[in-house]
Amino acid sequence: MTRQQDSAAASRRSAANSGFLGGEYGAALRLLFRARNFRHIPRLLREGPRPIFRLAIQAHNTAEIMRLLREGWQLNFVSSFPRSGNTWVRYLLADVFLQAHGVATATELPVQPDKIVPDFYCHWIARRNVTIPTPGVFVKTHETFAQLQERFGGAGLRPGAGGSGAVAPFRGCKHVYLYRSPEDALVSLFHYYDQQRPLKARAAAGIDGFCLANLPSWEESLAGYLRASEEGFPVLFVTYELLLQYPTEILSNLLRWLGARHDAATVERAVSNMQFTKLQAVETRILLNEEAFFFRRGRKGSGRAELQASTLDIIEKRTGQLMEQANARVLMQQSFQGIPASSKTAQIRRDAAFQNRQSKRLPTVAKLERA
């Protein structure tokens, strides 16, 4: 039995071998029954048992991650504000990992991506497919860094107080943070809520009202991961817009940072398989319900096309500095170290710098390199 298989079996036995309210499961149950979770009661009446079921999964996953950290596993969080490319990256990673294991892949993967990079909120991490080798355990999440740190890195830490007090296992976690221009991410989230019957009430204020109401959550998400990076936590920032424009190059850089085995042909096949038009075709065939579509457009510019100028102005003023900091980190991290310089990699840097300077969000490349 491999270490991964043994670990999965151990996770299934752990509840029986420990006190019901003791250890990680006790902490997970206490999380489930926190007073603030009772705010979900109106949702239960409106949506049925799904919210409480998801809370139960999160409680179990909290316990499982704590156990994995204690046993010395490498944890890799794929994090973002919703509708920022997180699911797309999970599909790309799953495709690459399957190919590295010798499995032929197509758009409809032979192993569900959820079994390789499970979603913290709705998939049991302990039931991931441990036969597919990956460089550590991967978890998709929309948690802020402060929320992850509170759960897994020491509840007494205050955001911005420095990371030196975090427990050693959590300090070793890697964080892939995907971010998207705030107006595009918020508009995409609005349409997702508006098309889902259980979530439609959250979009009742209209697109501009919805985006402004949810803007603080977008700010908190990006700001937290920027602070974490400044405090020395390993965070790789990936901008959705560059991933759209240069998917093979950005995915290759991401895989190198993770230490994942890959080659150019593997990456190109994954990118080809996971084109948005192909993913949408699979959804159309499987779901037969446009309301359930997850992959909507995969474009940039929706925010500027759909929001009022006054809304865009507020978003720009409130997020400009955060975007400047994040984009500067992307340009530093996407240095393509270890890859021979080429016209393509140079063009990516030029495009990134030009695009962001145009929106007054990034210093020039020359200033960045001097820094």
Side-chain angles (χ1 to χ4, degrees), residues 46 192-205 291:
R46 185 175 65 250
Y192 180 71
Y193 280 5
D194 193 47
Q195 293 170 2
Q196 302 291 322
R197 213 164 296 165
L199 303 173
K200 196 175 182 68
R202 302 191 197 182
E291 287 186 355

Side-chain angles (χ1 to χ4, degrees), residues 26 34 50 53 84-86 146 163 168 178 181 184 194 214 218 220 226-227 250 278 285 344 349:
R34 281 180 178 174
R50 190 171 68 169
F53 182 68
S84 299
N86 196 315
L178 292 116
S181 64
D184 285 0
D194 193 47
N214 287 275
W218 185 96
E220 181 184 7
L226 285 169
R227 283 196 301 267
I250 302 304
K278 294 180 179 180
R285 187 175 69 257
K344 188 66 170 291
R349 288 181 61 82

Side-chain angles (χ1 to χ4, degrees), residues 118-131:
D119 187 321
F120 177 80
Y121 307 101
C122 51
H123 304 124
W124 307 94
I125 294 172
R127 298 179 187 174
R128 68 192 184 279
N129 190 322
V130 297
T131 66

Side-chain angles (χ1 to χ4, degrees), residues 166-234:
V167 295
F170 183 71
R171 291 242 14 138
C173 294
K174 288 187 174 182
H175 305 267
V176 176
Y177 185 76
L178 292 116
Y179 71 98
R180 186 181 187 181
S181 64
E183 60 272 17
D184 285 0
L186 290 164
V187 162
S188 182
L189 186 61
F190 167 81
H191 286 296
Y192 180 71
Y193 280 5
D194 193 47
Q195 293 170 2
Q196 302 291 322
R197 213 164 296 165
L199 303 173
K200 196 175 182 68
R202 302 191 197 182
I207 190 168
D208 289 271
F210 175 91
C211 289
L212 291 178
N214 287 275
L215 180 58
S217 296
W218 185 96
E219 294 174 279
E220 181 184 7
S221 179
L222 179 54
Y225 283 91
L226 285 169
R227 283 196 301 267
S229 180
E230 292 168 0
E231 293 169 1
F233 288 91

Side-chain angles (χ1 to χ4, degrees), residues 131-142:
T131 66
I132 307 300
T134 59
V137 178
F138 284 78
V139 180
K140 173 207 169 176
T141 179
H142 294 307

Side-chain angles (χ1 to χ4, degrees), residues 1 4-18 25 60 64 67 71 115 124-130:
M1 182 178 287
Q4 283 186 316
Q5 289 169 330
D6 183 65
S7 176
S11 68
R12 289 190 290 268
R13 295 193 304 264
S14 59
N17 294 337
S18 62
Y25 276 87
H60 171 84
E64 178 67 3
R67 185 187 67 80
E71 293 180 2
K115 294 290 187 180
W124 307 94
I125 294 172
R127 298 179 187 174
R128 68 192 184 279
N129 190 322
V130 297

Side-chain angles (χ1 to χ4, degrees), residues 328-347:
R329 288 192 177 276
V330 166
L331 281 182
M332 287 186 286
Q333 291 176 337
Q334 298 288 350
S335 59
F336 305 98
Q337 294 178 0
I339 296 182
S342 68
S343 58
K344 188 66 170 291
T345 58
Q347 184 63 40

